[in-house]
Amino acid sequence: MALLVKGGTVVTADTTTRADVLVEDGVIIAVGEGLEAPVGAEVVDAGGCYVMPGGIDPHTHMQLPFMGTVASEDFESGTAAAMAGGTTTIIDFVIPNPKERLMDAYRTWRGWAEKATCDYGFHVAVTWWDDSVYEDMGTLVTEEGVNSFKHFMAYKNAIMADDEILYNSFSRCLELGAIPTCHAENGELVFQLQKKLLAAGITGPEAHPLSRPPEAEGEAANRAIRMAEVIGVPVYLVHVSAQQALDEITRARSAGSRVYGEVLAGHLMIDDSVYRNEDWYTAAAHVMSPPFRPKGNQEALWKGLQSGNLQTTATDHCCFCESQKSMGRDDFTKIPNGTGGVEDRMAVLWDQGVNTGRLTMNEFVAVTSANAAKIFNLYPRKGDVRVGADADLVVWDPKATRTISAKTHHQKVDFNIFEGMTCTGVPVHTLSQGKLTWTGGELRAEKGAGRYLKRPNFQPVFDAVSKVNAARVPTSVAR
Ligand code: URQ
Ligand code: ZN
Ligand code: ZN
């Protein structure tokens, strides 16, 4: 069935044009002024609104088993909430336990995600190493359309990847034309600081940021980047939260290294004062890693986006309710790490980015959709408004407002880190695969309608990059 989005202004990462958008069978079939609606077509009035590519959140953890519990948001509720906020694609994470075959974990997560209501992909974490990991990475790239592998440099004695794993996995990524991504915190340093704080009797959530100083992130960011530079592979750093990590990315990029950085909407707007809130749960609800940082880091991260040294925004949507966070009431290291935001990312970034002049509308589209599509090889199927692209669109009313609250959000969690924030500029219609899934305040998400997205590898880019880098690292000493 055809649907015509009429009267809007189409905003992509590159252009701003008065145009109608005609969609049919889940794809965009025409973009232009004065399009007529075919007989029987549904018409969406986009007058006074912007029509943008649906948001892509490259970092979510729906129903993640973690720290002795399972994240409260599942693939059905989390993808529905995403679309209520204008996001139409998520890239989630398969996180094998050490010694668990990657392919087994992948099949488990694929089963969980079958109930997703919007399209989704998976990064796969490398949490251990042996020949089977090497083999499964190959299968995932060549047969399952996985082109990105995650490495947690934090979480010692759990899923932490040490330097040996990083070296083996980054090297395998280069062979396969896949991109390594990293949670960059020095896990050993964090582990030792956690022990020291507990030994000193500091057990509350205020200890969380003290155990994860910016230096722990800056060191790991540099280590991941240097490792990638020597091996000759690009690298993507997730949830960059501190100036110190951004500085490492900026150095590497200005030296021509292919390094990408992601920033969370929360880290752009929230500082570490939340951990000193006298209400235990309010402080614990903000326990995530890397932690919210001291004032000053937020503006530095905005400058990272404005300068192009950070390319994508995400949420790291990983929700735990009060009963779950309370597992750490007597020991902050047992508070499940994670916060939400998949429904709020686009609106808070528009309000604090576009309305303040930090970002143009085109840059907004780049950092909320197009750049993630390009980096993870979904572009232009996703991340653009053009004929042939998927009909994943958001109709954005720049004058409408929404006050964010856990009382009204669609996320399955009893806390919202953006509680009370009033945003000017909100999605009034969201289309996924050409169907209205969010319209007039009504959520029409359909369980299981989401499709798994295969993401081809980057062989051509890697062939070029690896030739350049191979020339830089001698593999034999001239006699
Ligand atoms: O580290 C992550 O990205 C996962 C485990 C979510 N939790 C978090 O605190 N960021
Ligand atoms: Zn992480
Ligand atoms: Zn994460």
Side-chain angles (χ1 to χ4, degrees):
M1 205 253 285
L3 183 150
L4 178 65
V5 181
K6 191 149 186 65
T9 297
V10 171
V11 181
T12 70
D14 309 303
T15 57
T16 303
T17 325
R18 230 303 295 133
D20 307 328
V21 183
L22 181 61
V23 309
E24 190 163 32
D25 298 330
V27 297
I28 296 171
I29 58 172
V31 180
E33 279 219 77
L35 295 185
E36 289 303 319
V39 174
E42 191 171 0
V43 179
V44 173
D45 177 5
C49 294
Y50 300 116
V51 182
M52 301 186 285
I56 299 174
D57 188 337
H59 192 155
T60 62
H61 299 281
M62 304 305 176
Q63 61 192 90
L64 174 70
F66 189 56
M67 295 180 70
T69 184
V70 179
S72 55
E73 191 84 81
D74 64 44
F75 278 97
E76 179 183 2
S77 59
T79 49
M83 291 194 287
T87 289
T88 54
T89 297
I90 64 168
I91 308 181
D92 207 281
F93 292 83
V94 173
I95 306 181
N97 293 311
K99 305 301 181 199
E100 180 182 13
R101 288 288 304 237
L102 271 58
M103 284 307 295
D104 291 344
Y106 170 76
R107 290 187 192 97
T108 298
W109 255 267
R110 284 294 306 271
W112 292 343
E114 280 179 7
K115 54 182 175 287
T117 63
C118 77
D119 289 352
Y120 59 93
F122 282 119
H123 311 286
V124 177
V126 177
T127 56
W128 66 292
W129 192 262
D130 78 356
D131 292 347
S132 79
V133 176
Y134 179 92
E135 181 190 334
D136 285 354
M137 288 176 75
T139 306
L140 287 162
V141 170
T142 56
E143 297 175 24
E144 302 299 335
V146 171
N147 68 22
S148 47
F149 290 93
K150 174 73 174 290
H151 307 80
F152 291 94
M153 298 170 76
Y155 307 126
K156 178 182 167 78
N157 297 331
I159 55 177
M160 186 174 98
D162 63 16
D163 286 358
E164 180 182 6
I165 294 173
L166 295 182
Y167 182 83
N168 287 326
S169 184
F170 282 30
S171 302
R172 185 57 168 150
C173 284
L174 180 62
E175 282 177 8
L176 293 167
I179 187 166
T181 79
C182 289
H183 172 139
E185 286 184 293
N186 183 310
E188 185 61 44
L189 185 53
V190 169
F191 178 71
Q192 297 300 336
L193 290 173
Q194 286 178 332
K195 280 199 302 185
K196 188 176 173 184
L197 286 155
L198 289 174
I202 306 172
T203 62
E206 73 279 5
H208 180 67
L210 304 177
S211 70
R212 311 183 89 98
E215 289 79 0
E217 184 178 351
E219 183 280 330
N222 178 55
R223 182 155 39 102
I225 289 167
R226 297 295 188 178
M227 183 87 78
E229 284 175 333
V230 169
I231 293 166
V233 72
V235 67
Y236 176 98
L237 298 189
V238 306
H239 51 42
V240 175
S241 74
Q243 168 103 53
Q244 295 194 29
L246 173 59
D247 288 348
E248 299 300 344
I249 295 172
T250 304
R251 175 209 59 79
R253 287 180 63 87
S254 58
S257 296
R258 199 172 292 280
V259 176
Y260 302 106
E262 168 195 284
V263 60
L264 304 186
H267 283 139
L268 285 164
M269 295 167 206
I270 299 165
D271 65 59
D272 64 350
S273 59
V274 294
Y275 297 115
R276 296 184 287 279
N277 191 297
E278 58 194 20
D279 173 59
W280 185 90
Y281 182 47
T282 299
H286 287 89
V287 167
M288 68 153 308
S289 297
F292 296 103
R293 297 295 187 187
K295 282 191 187 315
N297 283 279
Q298 297 73 33
E299 200 52 44
L301 295 170
W302 277 113
K303 298 227 177 334
L305 278 179
Q306 291 168 291
S307 63
N309 284 310
L310 296 174
Q311 293 76 33
T312 65
T313 61
T315 61
D316 200 355
H317 189 83
C318 188
C319 297
F320 300 102
C321 294
E322 181 163 9
S323 58
Q324 295 172 292
K325 291 280 187 176
S326 296
M327 292 163 65
R329 197 162 278 271
D330 303 321
D331 174 350
F332 73 93
T333 67
K334 295 189 169 51
I335 300 172
N337 285 205
T339 53
V342 77
E343 182 175 0
D344 308 312
R345 176 180 64 118
M346 302 278 275
V348 299
L349 285 168
W350 184 277
D351 190 77
Q352 293 298 302
V354 178
N355 291 349
T356 61
R358 287 182 174 114
L359 299 175
T360 66
M361 294 191 292
N362 309 102
E363 290 165 343
F364 171 84
V365 172
V367 302
T368 61
S369 185
N371 288 354
K374 290 173 181 173
I375 293 168
F376 295 113
N377 217 4
L378 286 168
Y379 188 85
R381 176 185 177 188
K382 303 289 186 186
D384 200 7
V385 182
R386 67 166 79 178
V387 172
D390 283 0
D392 289 1
L393 300 168
V394 58
V395 179
W396 198 266
D397 182 344
K399 298 185 189 61
T401 64
R402 171 175 168 244
T403 297
I404 295 173
S405 173
K407 296 183 184 64
T408 54
H409 70 201
H410 297 84
Q411 299 169 141
K412 199 183 273 185
V413 64
D414 57 10
F415 194 88
N416 191 307
I417 59 174
F418 303 108
E419 186 73 32
M421 184 174 168
T422 298
C423 298
T424 302
V426 295
V428 288
H429 305 288
T430 302
L431 282 79
S432 172
Q433 302 175 47
K435 289 183 183 165
L436 276 172
T437 54
W438 168 254
T439 183
E442 183 196 350
L443 196 47
R444 298 179 182 169
E446 190 188 324
K447 182 175 182 179
R451 299 166 300 186
Y452 172 68
L453 297 171
K454 288 196 167 189
R455 297 176 292 117
N457 71 350
F458 303 87
Q459 203 54 44
V461 170
F462 276 63
D463 287 347
V465 167
S466 51
K467 280 195 189 76
V468 168
N469 285 293
R472 286 170 49 193
V473 180
T475 50
S476 63
V477 178
R479 295 271 170 234

